[in-house]
Amino acid sequence: MTSNSNAQSSIDPHPFKVLGFAIHLLPDYVDWLSTRIAQHQGTHVVTLNAEMTMQAEQDLALADIIHRANLVVPDGSGIVLYLKLHGKTVRRCPGIELTETLLQTSARQPQPWSVFFYGGAPGVAAEAAEKLRDRFPRINIVGTQNGFLSEADTPLFLDRLRDLQPQIICVGLGVPRQEYWIAKHRHVAPNAVWIGVGGSFDIWADRKQRAPAWFCDNHLEWMYRLYQEPWRWRRMLALPQFAWRSILEKFRH
């Protein structure tokens, strides 16, 4: 999964497969990512959930990106329940929480790591940056760019990233667009941690609210998202499909 032998030694040498996709089980993902940043090791983080897993079964390009990612974390409750069915008790690691903790850690460094936000509607990433600066005064967000970037303007934006060389790049374009974009462009900042953050900018900017803790703790965050975004109902059909596949896999083994 990664070309660096030292990095491999710090990760589970036998990542656990969820319907053919490797999930890396670590006691502390932020600690591992902090080491990668300190060692200038480029890292693509994928936050895998049931919806993405089922989508990747039909989308070979997305599947390849997940297979080649340096770190795949159990974002969704479906992934956690699958692992539990197969004897692995792990805590869910929502991408928004992982990223926020990493950003908080970045602000605590003697020289705070540099961060860039790309994605979201016009103004949202900038608002998210301002709100996070209020929460973590030492955070070093060196730039933002909304996700409505024209093809003509993309080369200039890539030149900007190339000049800045941020150490953490958060891409909020939604799945699978953000995964495609990272895979295609991560060479412009090869030592950065690249992570797809979905709609996290909207939440950090207080444009949307995350599900209350009760929903998150009881694996029902998907229900709250469906309430907020009813247009997602077709995509949510992947959840029962994933659950059925998980049960079949359990009996096969």
Side-chain angles (χ1 to χ4, degrees):
M1 296 298 295
T2 149
S3 61
N4 184 281
S5 59
N6 291 330
Q8 285 183 336
S9 67
S10 66
I11 203 166
D12 189 335
H14 301 290
F16 199 87
K17 292 294 184 71
V18 174
L19 299 185
F21 295 99
I23 289 284
H24 297 112
L25 305 179
L26 290 169
D28 191 328
Y29 292 106
V30 170
D31 183 64
W32 188 81
L33 288 171
S34 298
T35 300
R36 298 279 290 188
I37 293 170
Q39 295 177 352
H40 308 290
Q41 295 178 7
T43 306
H44 181 190
V45 181
V46 168
T47 57
L48 191 67
N49 59 21
E51 188 178 322
M52 188 192 298
T53 302
M54 300 313 297
Q55 188 171 359
E57 286 200 331
Q58 305 299 320
D59 184 339
L60 296 182
L62 177 59
D64 183 60
I65 290 169
I66 296 171
H67 287 311
R68 290 188 290 110
N70 303 98
L71 183 66
V72 182
V73 302
D75 176 287
S77 296
I79 301 292
V80 171
L81 293 174
Y82 179 99
L83 292 168
K84 187 173 183 179
L85 279 173
H86 292 267
K88 296 286 185 180
T89 301
V90 301
R91 292 185 61 186
R92 179 177 168 232
C93 181
I96 187 170
E97 293 180 13
L98 171 65
T99 307
E100 193 168 313
T101 304
L102 184 63
L103 296 178
Q104 188 174 8
T105 300
S106 76
R108 293 177 179 152
Q109 304 306 305
Q111 184 170 346
W113 300 325
S114 55
V115 180
F116 197 100
F117 287 173
Y118 169 50
V124 172
E127 287 179 30
E130 286 305 311
K131 297 282 187 182
L132 287 170
R133 288 187 184 107
D134 290 340
R135 294 173 57 193
F136 313 127
R138 296 187 69 248
I139 197 169
N140 182 25
I141 300 174
V142 295
T144 65
Q145 169 61 53
N146 71 67
F148 290 77
L149 195 65
S150 70
E151 188 174 338
D153 290 334
T154 297
L156 287 176
F157 172 56
L158 294 176
D159 285 342
R160 184 182 176 198
L161 285 181
R162 193 176 286 111
D163 290 341
L164 288 170
Q165 290 298 309
Q167 291 163 288
I168 302 171
I169 302 175
C170 302
V171 181
L173 300 176
V175 177
R177 187 181 165 207
Q178 62 194 19
E179 281 68 37
Y180 294 148
W181 201 90
I182 291 171
K184 183 177 180 180
H185 298 295
R186 59 179 293 203
H187 66 276
V188 303
N191 298 325
V193 167
W194 295 75
I195 182 167
V197 297
S200 298
F201 296 148
D202 288 304
I203 293 173
W204 291 332
D206 290 334
R207 296 282 190 103
K208 292 182 180 179
Q209 296 298 314
R210 196 177 172 211
W214 185 88
F215 284 84
C216 299
D217 294 342
N218 289 278
H219 306 290
L220 294 172
E221 190 170 6
W222 63 270
M223 185 182 294
Y224 191 84
R225 284 194 74 182
L226 186 59
Y227 164 75
Q228 285 189 313
E229 302 171 336
W231 56 266
R232 297 177 63 91
W233 72 269
R234 288 184 185 276
R235 295 172 60 178
M236 291 293 186
L237 293 177
L239 302 181
Q241 185 181 3
F242 178 89
W244 177 243
R245 289 284 307 282
S246 300
I247 293 169
L248 289 179
E249 284 283 321
K250 170 65 175 176
F251 283 109
R252 285 198 188 109
H253 288 287

